[in-house]
Amino acid sequence: MSEFVQSLHEVFERLGRIETKRMFGGHGVWHEGRMIALVADETLYLKSDAESAVHFDRLNLQPFTYMRQGKAMPMSYRLAPADLFEDREEAARWGRLAYEAALRSGQPPKLKKPRKPAARKAAAKKTAAKKAPVKKKKPTAKAASR
């Protein structure tokens, strides 16, 4: 994880806890189970929608755009304002805007899945399968006569 992505935990400290996850060559930024931002090429883009677009448009903050089959595909993430990195209150305000847009998107929150102990059980089965079989002793003549 890059220093830039790690620094976002401090940038958004007044918003609350965030999580970052690698995805598609960049990182997603999550708050309370909702993706509120993405990082691509060490640049932060915040979740936006029709309701929050006015805030981004006022500062001429462009959408994240990727190329697909030679065509530009804009996404619902807009460039974060530079002031956000210098002012924690400003970061919290923009983070709330992004979180609210994520809530309005209708996507259910992505909650952490508990780790399954099945992985350990499967590893134990493989180990047990590799052990040499135990040979049974042939009954001796003495044991056979009993």
Side-chain angles (χ1 to χ4, degrees), residues 14-134:
R14 297 214 174 130
L15 172 66
R17 180 186 162 109
I18 64 163
E19 295 180 48
T20 56
K21 300 176 187 175
R22 283 199 54 73
M23 53 190 313
F24 309 116
H27 287 81
V29 180
W30 302 77
H31 176 64
E32 295 185 6
R34 312 262 181 179
M35 188 167 162
I36 63 165
L38 66 85
V39 176
D41 297 322
E42 300 295 304
T43 303
L44 179 67
Y45 297 88
L46 299 170
K47 178 78 173 159
S48 69
D49 63 2
E51 194 170 318
S52 65
V54 65
H55 301 284
F56 293 93
D57 291 341
R58 192 175 328 129
L59 298 174
N60 197 29
L61 299 170
Q62 299 301 309
F64 173 74
T65 305
Y66 67 96
M67 297 300 287
R68 180 175 175 186
Q69 298 176 345
K71 189 175 179 182
M73 306 295 290
M75 291 184 67
S76 62
Y77 293 87
R78 306 277 292 262
L79 189 62
D83 294 350
L84 170 144
F85 298 100
E86 304 303 320
D87 182 345
R88 299 297 180 252
E89 288 301 322
E90 192 70 4
R93 188 175 79 75
W94 283 95
R96 279 190 292 280
L97 277 172
Y99 180 68
E100 290 165 2
L103 288 173
R104 288 188 294 268
S105 75
Q107 293 292 322
K110 302 274 190 208
L111 302 176
K112 278 189 171 181
K113 295 178 185 175
R115 294 187 114 189
K116 295 180 183 178
R120 284 189 229 141
K121 287 180 182 177
K125 285 181 183 179
K126 286 182 182 180
T127 304
K130 290 181 182 180
K131 290 182 180 178
V134 176

